[in-house]
Amino acid sequence: MTEHLDKFKGVFPAFYACYDDNQKISQERNGQLVQFLTQKNVDGLYVGGSSGECIYQSLEERKLTLKYVKEFAKDNLTLIAHVGAPSTKDSVELAQYASNLGYDALSSIPPIYYGLPESSIYKYWMSIIKSTNLPFIIYNIPQTTGYSLSMELFSELVINRQVIGIKNSSLPSIDIERFKAAGGSDFIVFNGPDEQYISGRLMGADSGIGGTYGVMPELYVKAEQYISEENMEKAKKIQTDINDIIINLNSLSGNMYAIIKEVLRRRGVNIGGVREPLENISDSDVESTQEIKNQIDRTIKKYK
């Protein structure tokens, strides 16, 4: 599994849910977002995760998204399918579907809602892993799942050669360093918290997967360039500018992804709203998204 890991390095936007005006999964709008991100020179896509509103979609809707993204991305991008679902059965079904479509890897959060022992979490992830021959990327995001991956379970999982990496979204950057040290040089660590892309990379992350990458992909691609060039002064500056934008994305009413989608619409990519119970942006805040769009434009121009 280690010979082709370079394709999992770089900038991977967490792909957004793309709906038509009736809240149905839109083939056309999935295609528009894939095309937009491809043109911005991202390295791959993380499809069907939190940014994709997976918890609020049916199994068939999630399959449609996986299908449409692959249809438009073809082999131009590395595609990681997030297949975490409330039941092991549904997760395995999604995993096998993604494998048949030709995805490059699978990923999954731990099982949600019930406070399960680590033996159950281990069996859940291993059921997904064993269901296909694809590489697997652990997804650790304790702030939403309520479970923080222990080093004991991590060590059990990485014995399996299909487990090639982890998307780590826990906030302490030491976690990135610990997982990288325990996983080894051939193990891929994805930085999760967008606000610490640069610090995550410096602490050992090989790549990044993030929910705000898709609305300003140019800035993360440029940040990765500065890291690769070891230009730490510019890397720190662009992270500060990215964080200013992230703060503004969280400053308006409604869910952050609703705000992102409105900013994207103003950037020429209409992918609809968000699915309830996520809240769409209020009418009074819609015009404020133009200021955020302008801020992104100015920042992109600044680093050209």
Side-chain angles (χ1 to χ4, degrees):
M1 283 292 174
T2 59
E3 62 269 24
H4 301 301
L5 293 185
D6 282 349
K7 69 180 180 180
F8 295 106
K9 294 183 178 180
V11 175
F12 285 67
F15 199 78
Y16 305 128
C18 299
Y19 304 116
D20 64 19
D21 293 341
N22 296 312
Q23 278 279 302
K24 294 181 179 179
I25 304 296
S26 169
Q27 180 181 23
E28 179 185 359
R29 290 179 176 180
N30 271 281
Q32 289 174 359
L33 184 56
V34 170
Q35 182 180 32
F36 172 77
L37 294 172
T38 302
Q39 290 173 343
K40 304 304 180 183
N41 297 315
V42 302
D43 297 285
L45 300 174
Y46 189 84
V47 186
S50 308
S51 303
E53 303 170 37
C54 63
I55 298 302
Y56 301 135
Q57 293 180 352
S58 70
L59 203 59
E60 291 309 311
E61 287 178 315
R62 294 182 67 178
K63 286 181 178 180
L64 277 178
T65 296
L66 290 171
K67 175 184 175 184
Y68 293 152
V69 172
K70 178 60 178 177
E71 178 182 302
F72 288 104
K74 297 183 173 59
D75 295 322
N76 298 320
L77 297 169
T78 299
L79 299 181
I80 303 170
H82 174 263
V83 298
S87 74
T88 303
K89 176 181 176 294
D90 286 353
S91 299
V92 166
E93 186 173 335
L94 282 171
Q96 293 174 338
Y97 186 78
S99 177
N100 290 335
L101 286 174
Y103 271 68
D104 296 287
L106 304 174
S107 182
S108 175
I109 56 172
I112 60 171
Y113 185 71
Y114 291 105
L116 298 174
E118 285 201 326
S119 58
S120 296
I121 298 170
Y122 174 79
K123 289 176 182 176
Y124 170 79
W125 270 328
M126 287 306 299
S127 293
I128 297 171
I129 292 165
K130 290 178 180 179
S131 70
T132 79
N133 293 320
L134 289 180
F136 183 77
I137 296 161
I138 305 162
Y139 188 0
N140 183 45
I141 182 167
Q143 56 268 45
T144 59
T145 63
Y147 170 72
S148 182
L149 178 63
S150 70
M151 291 304 299
E152 290 77 17
L153 181 52
F154 176 78
S155 298
E156 284 188 63
L157 289 165
V158 296
I159 292 171
N160 190 298
R161 292 192 66 216
Q162 281 179 256
V163 181
I164 62 159
I166 183 170
K167 179 191 176 189
N168 186 67
S169 293
S170 61
L171 296 178
S173 56
I174 188 176
D175 291 350
I176 287 174
E177 184 271 329
R178 290 290 85 192
F179 287 132
K180 184 65 179 179
S185 60
D186 291 329
F187 188 79
I188 302 293
V189 176
F190 291 87
N191 178 77
D194 298 5
E195 301 87 342
Q196 63 179 48
Y197 182 84
I198 298 300
S199 58
R201 287 284 280 110
L202 292 176
M203 288 295 282
D206 305 279
S207 311
I209 296 171
T212 65
Y213 294 14
V215 73
M216 45 180 164
E218 300 94 334
L219 298 181
Y220 287 97
V221 170
K222 184 62 72 169
E224 178 59 29
Q225 177 188 325
Y226 292 146
I227 285 287
S228 300
E229 295 171 351
E230 299 184 357
N231 189 337
M232 293 303 106
E233 182 178 354
K234 284 191 174 181
K236 286 188 290 184
K237 285 181 179 178
I238 199 168
Q239 183 71 72
T240 297
D241 287 336
I242 286 171
N243 289 352
D244 287 341
I245 295 167
I246 292 174
I247 288 168
N248 286 335
L249 287 170
N250 283 287
S251 68
L252 306 181
S253 61
N255 177 264
M256 184 188 74
Y257 294 115
I259 297 162
I260 281 174
K261 288 182 176 185
E262 178 59 25
V263 175
L264 266 177
R265 188 184 69 79
R266 292 171 183 270
R267 294 201 70 190
V269 185
N270 181 3
I271 56 173
V274 293
R275 175 158 295 176
E276 293 181 346
L278 298 177
E279 288 190 37
N280 275 296
I281 189 170
S282 69
D283 292 341
S284 60
D285 277 340
V286 168
E287 288 305 315
S288 298
T289 58
Q290 182 63 43
E291 289 303 314
I292 300 176
K293 188 263 184 187
N294 292 343
Q295 181 185 16
I296 291 172
D297 288 344
R298 290 193 301 271
T299 309
I300 291 169
K301 185 176 180 181
K302 176 180 177 181
Y303 290 100
K304 276 190 173 179

